[in-house]
Amino acid sequence: MSADALASGGPVSTTGRDRRRVRKSPVKQLLGLAGIIGFLGTWELIPRLGIINERFLPPASEVIAALVRDFGLTAFWISVGETMTAWFLGLVIAVVLAVLLGFIIGSSDFLRKATNSTVEFLRPIPSVALIPLAVLLFGIKIESSLMLITYAAFWQVLIQVLYGVADIDMVANNTARTYGLGRMARIRYVVFPTALPYLMTGVRLAATVALVLAITAELVIGSPGLGHEIALAQSGGAISGMYALVLATGLIGVLINSLMRLIEKKTLSWHSSVRSEVIV
């Protein structure tokens, strides 16, 4: 079972047959490839047939060609680097803060009850609503992007950590206390292993959210990066170039999600949520 199912409180199968790992069948891989080809083919035909004017939606072939040209431009990779820098820094700050606060709050019934209403009030606030505040505080510098990224990613991780800490086995915790393990030792050997699957799920979700906010901040605020380049391409009438940059952000998102899933799988290789995946 995936870490998502574990985070939602679903049961984890531990039967012998379920301990075999998932391997994607050739049929699923072919279906995935067919879906991509079908999407690109539909995209190509829509402007070619005049359903949508090519000025507003260029054919897929033109956009892909523009993306390939971008791959050869230094300015494109500089923008990618600026976006990824903001993404990485914001994600790291959010994860560190969320883990520290999550373990502190989650380890105390008093703090959980005292902060519950505050968390539930702040968590739904959209990060984009903080854009005026970010601009007032930091202007169009990278700090504005970091503020939005950190705020959005922080809640993804914090909530997961709180659920993970609350899910510890009280029998194991009491046994550790009986054997004389101190508070820090219990956190290390009992609480942390229990919360780790939740934490990894939160980090994976936060990584995607962080990229969305990085692009949004650059697009709206004007911070340097791919989002800013998309806005410039749109205002300059380079529609194919604009779609190419949008496609580039999508590819980056796929790579980030794949990387985070790989890290999650490697980190939790000892856990039943990974070992109990079934061959399909």
Side-chain angles (χ1 to χ4, degrees), residues 42-121:
T42 303
W43 180 2
E44 182 74 22
L45 289 175
I46 288 175
R48 296 293 186 190
L49 296 176
I51 299 175
I52 298 179
N53 194 305
E54 291 189 18
R55 291 185 302 167
F56 308 119
L57 181 65
S61 57
E62 291 186 14
V63 174
I64 293 174
L67 179 60
V68 173
R69 288 195 298 270
D70 285 342
F71 286 160
L73 299 177
T74 303
F76 170 78
W77 293 108
I78 291 175
S79 297
V80 171
E82 290 168 336
T83 297
M84 297 310 296
T85 298
W87 168 81
F88 178 75
L89 292 176
L91 181 62
V92 169
I93 295 171
V95 170
V96 171
L97 291 177
V99 169
L100 290 176
L101 289 178
F103 277 100
I104 292 173
I105 295 173
S107 300
S108 169
D109 289 336
F110 172 77
L111 289 178
R112 286 181 68 91
K113 294 176 182 178
T115 59
N116 181 65
S117 58
T118 303
V119 170
E120 292 304 318
F121 171 74

Side-chain angles (χ1 to χ4, degrees), residues 67 211 215 226 230 243-257:
L67 179 60
L211 179 64
I215 300 298
L226 283 175
I230 291 173
Y243 278 103
L245 293 171
V246 171
L247 194 59
T249 63
L251 293 175
I252 292 173
V254 171
L255 291 175
I256 287 176
N257 188 60

Side-chain angles (χ1 to χ4, degrees), residues 201-212:
T201 298
V203 172
R204 175 164 54 82
L205 296 175
T208 302
V209 171
L211 179 64
V212 172

Side-chain angles (χ1 to χ4, degrees), residues 1 27 37 54 67 69 90 121 140 154 187 213-214 218 269 271:
M1 179 173 292
V27 174
I37 294 174
E54 291 189 18
L67 179 60
R69 288 195 298 270
F121 171 74
I140 61 173
F154 172 80
I187 290 176
L213 265 299
E218 294 162 0
S269 60
H271 197 270

